[in-house]
Amino acid sequence: MSTKKLLVVLAPNERDDFLPSPLWEELHSCGLEVVWREPDEVRQLGWQVCFEEDEPEVIITGWQTPALPSELPESSIRPRYLCHLTGSVRKLVPRSWIESGLQVTNWGSSISHTVAECGLLLILTGLRRAGYWNLRMHRDGAWKGPELDTRSLFGRRLGIHGFGAIAQALVRLLIPFQLKISVYSPNMPQAMLDEFNVQRVDNLEALFSENEVVVELAALTPETQGIITEALLRRIPEGGLFVNLARGALVDEAALARVCSEKKLHACLDVYVEEPLPKDSPLRQLDHVTLLPHLGGPTVDQRKTAGRFALENLQRYLRGAETVSAVDLEIYDRAT
């Protein structure tokens, strides 16, 4: 009987970052015959040829993996499990594949702590106006004057929109700062909020008006698209800070640019409606807005955390156990 196969479709840098030694060696000892193809090779050959030649039961994928074909191949050569090393699979896996029984997992909450770390960076950067001063010192030779607008995080009122794994990890990082933290997350059980010692607010208007720092961490759904309006942004107390490392489309970007242009609100952003952020975006012209190019995911040195998580899921699959962070149809439809 032939050995079952595992097809790894990763660029060399993805393989080295997510599956460095000894993880790569562990993968080869999982009991499946491992075949590695680079994404460009799969694009040139086509998925159908790869399925016919490699006959993989399992596929490991990453950011650069080409999308699966919309037309399902014959069931005899169709993979049974797709282990995605990164986040959303919407651009990789057509819905019909999951409907037909393909098991899919992603990195789930395994990297939440690193995204939360980026959130803490953005909060401190915004309050200390570090992005503004870094630019002014490089570009204009500036130095501080008698009028400063820097703020400390200690003892502040901070609001969080959404309370998933990243928000929970962020709250843990914020403990030393002795904050008053409130959360708007209508479907979150009260017991969870009590566990993290955060207060519930009943609406976004209260969240934005009662906090000097507001962190956007809600999921993007048809209901939440564009939910952060100009009226909400103007509720943040003058000199306050808005941080977004969830999804750009949650926010009315034009409104955010207008409010920040008045220099009554600072913003630190890692995500945008259109990525890469267009060069002519008004957000790029505002020195009260600190921008990152969607760096909130795991740093290069921490990608192995997601790789380890994927190998553990692979072992669960091979044992016939339930995988963690499975992407079913409900989760797929909510994903962005």
Side-chain angles (χ1 to χ4, degrees), residues 101-120:
L102 178 69
Q103 293 188 51
V104 178
T105 59
N106 64 4
W107 62 15
S109 61
S110 67
I111 50 85
S112 296
H113 62 294
T114 63
V115 183
E117 178 188 39
C118 186
L120 179 59

Side-chain angles (χ1 to χ4, degrees), residues 48 51 55-57 72-80 97 100:
Q48 182 72 21
F51 292 151
E55 298 181 336
E57 178 173 341
L72 290 166
E74 296 179 5
S75 59
S76 60
I77 60 169
R78 195 181 306 164
R80 301 291 180 252
W97 283 74
S100 71

Side-chain angles (χ1 to χ4, degrees), residues 4-7 27 30-33 55-60 75 78-84 101-105 308-326:
K4 294 181 179 180
K5 295 181 180 179
L6 185 158
L7 175 60
L27 182 66
C30 71
L32 300 177
E33 180 183 339
E55 298 181 336
E57 178 173 341
V58 179
I59 307 176
I60 291 181
S75 59
R78 195 181 306 164
R80 301 291 180 252
Y81 172 42
L82 186 144
C83 184
H84 192 49
L102 178 69
Q103 293 188 51
V104 178
T105 59
R308 167 60 66 190
F309 182 79
L311 288 189
E312 292 170 355
N313 251 342
L314 175 61
Q315 290 298 335
R316 292 186 186 97
Y317 169 81
L318 294 175
R319 294 196 307 268
E322 185 176 356
T323 55
V324 179
S325 298

Side-chain angles (χ1 to χ4, degrees), residues 183-233:
V183 170
Y184 177 67
S185 185
N187 298 321
M188 183 60 59
Q190 184 62 42
M192 179 65 72
L193 301 181
D194 293 341
E195 178 183 340
F196 283 85
N197 194 30
V198 299
Q199 299 298 312
R200 183 191 297 277
V201 295
D202 294 328
N203 52 66
L204 282 173
E205 288 76 13
L207 186 79
F208 277 67
S209 61
E210 296 172 4
N211 293 288
E212 302 146 311
V213 179
V214 177
V215 183
E216 186 59 56
L217 282 171
L220 178 61
T221 67
E223 293 72 31
T224 60
Q225 184 167 350
I227 196 171
I228 307 305
T229 63
E230 182 167 346
L232 283 174
L233 292 167

